[in-house]
Amino acid sequence: DQQVKQNSPSLSVQEGRISILNCDYTNSMFDYFLWYKKYPAEGPTFLISISSIKDKNEDGRFTVFLNKSAKHLSLHIVPSQPGDSAVYFCAATAYNFNKFYFGSGTKLNVKP
Amino acid sequence: ETGVTQSPTHLIKTRGQQVTLRCSSQSGHNTVSWYQQALGQGPQFIFQYYREEENGRGNFPPRFSGLQFPNYSSELNVNALELDDSALYLCASSNISYNEQFFGPGTRLTVL
């Protein structure tokens, strides 16, 4: 039962342009969402999060948008840099915070 | 501040054997979660430990068990290994009061 889905396995973007990574979820109980970045041979690294009481959260070049009615969130990276090339996972959880559901990841390649 | 560490890095076992994986939490964190990440998939939640007790479990059979110690380090034990148990096993620590989880680099388990 895949409650968090990332339907794009890969994305290729030119350096300096915007990268948009998408994530959909099915469980309306989810109220906290996170994005993680993962380099090969390393564990996922927390990037940015958003609570369901907000529809946007920004941190430097990274912005996460949440559309609760569509059960959709997206991560925008502007401008994209070659160092952003990694696998990006979105994750969701509910109020009690003792279980996280991850998507299958999107591999971002930022070309110089 | 010491990050999350896991041991061993790699492990090869044969079907039917038992394995123990270890995780040291980040300083100040009292919660440990374990995930299984199969190739091409996102991390799948196995279980979480808080103050030495299981605090949530995913859809994994009882042959997956764990422990958390007073210093908040943790073990994941898998009995009667099956070929499908081959995966990257990730440990993540957090403060139960916060939502962000910090991941270790993982243990790559291969079952032959």
Side-chain angles (χ1 to χ4, degrees):
Chain A
D1 180 19
Q2 195 73 13
Q3 300 193 43
V4 177
K5 297 180 183 179
Q6 293 176 257
N7 293 319
S8 297
S10 63
L11 175 67
S12 188
V13 172
Q14 202 68 37
E15 180 180 5
R17 305 294 291 268
I18 184 171
S19 296
I20 300 176
L21 295 92
N22 294 303
C23 178
D24 297 295
Y25 62 96
T26 58
N27 192 334
S28 57
M29 295 296 292
F30 289 148
D31 58 8
Y32 194 75
F33 306 88
L34 309 92
W35 284 94
Y36 283 84
K37 179 168 72 172
K38 187 179 186 301
Y39 293 118
E42 296 182 11
T45 303
F46 171 76
L47 197 56
I48 192 169
S49 63
I50 187 166
S51 164
S52 60
I53 62 173
K54 294 184 175 181
D55 54 17
K56 177 183 174 181
N57 190 25
E58 196 170 351
D59 184 2
R61 296 185 298 113
F62 303 91
T63 303
V64 56
F65 295 92
L66 175 63
N67 183 335
K68 290 187 291 294
S69 60
K71 294 191 179 67
H72 177 84
L73 64 154
S74 61
L75 174 68
H76 292 209
I77 307 174
V78 182
S80 301
Q81 300 173 352
D84 296 329
S85 297
V87 177
Y88 289 78
F89 293 100
C90 69
T93 187
Y95 175 73
N96 57 358
F97 299 128
N98 65 2
K99 184 180 290 187
F100 284 75
Y101 295 84
F102 280 79
S104 55
T106 296
K107 185 174 184 179
L108 174 66
N109 179 32
V110 180
K111 297 178 287 187
Chain B
E1 184 177 81
T2 306
V4 179
T5 60
Q6 293 186 243
S7 62
T9 307
H10 296 88
L11 201 52
I12 299 175
K13 291 284 189 177
T14 56
R15 198 169 43 180
Q17 285 189 309
Q18 178 266 342
V19 68
T20 297
L21 310 182
R22 294 178 174 83
C23 171
S24 291
S25 304
Q26 181 162 314
S27 175
H29 288 176
N30 56 18
T31 302
V32 173
S33 301
W34 284 92
Y35 293 85
Q36 180 195 67
Q37 186 180 8
L39 203 60
Q41 301 295 318
Q44 297 293 313
F45 177 77
I46 302 176
F47 44 56
Q48 182 184 88
Y49 277 82
Y50 170 63
R51 292 185 175 178
E52 303 177 53
E53 291 193 2
E54 190 177 288
N55 188 44
R57 190 177 182 92
N59 294 326
F60 282 82
R63 59 189 185 84
F64 285 77
S65 63
L67 283 173
Q68 187 182 30
F69 301 99
N71 66 355
Y72 303 128
S73 65
S74 177
E75 286 182 355
L76 164 65
N77 299 289
V78 187
N79 294 322
L81 282 167
E82 301 177 0
L83 297 179
D84 284 348
D85 295 334
S86 295
L88 179 70
Y89 287 85
L90 294 162
C91 162
S93 74
S94 61
N95 184 318
I96 196 68
S97 302
Y98 297 92
N99 308 321
E100 179 183 335
Q101 293 190 334
F102 293 82
F103 283 84
T107 294
R108 173 71 62 186
L109 173 64
T110 302
V111 182
L112 303 176

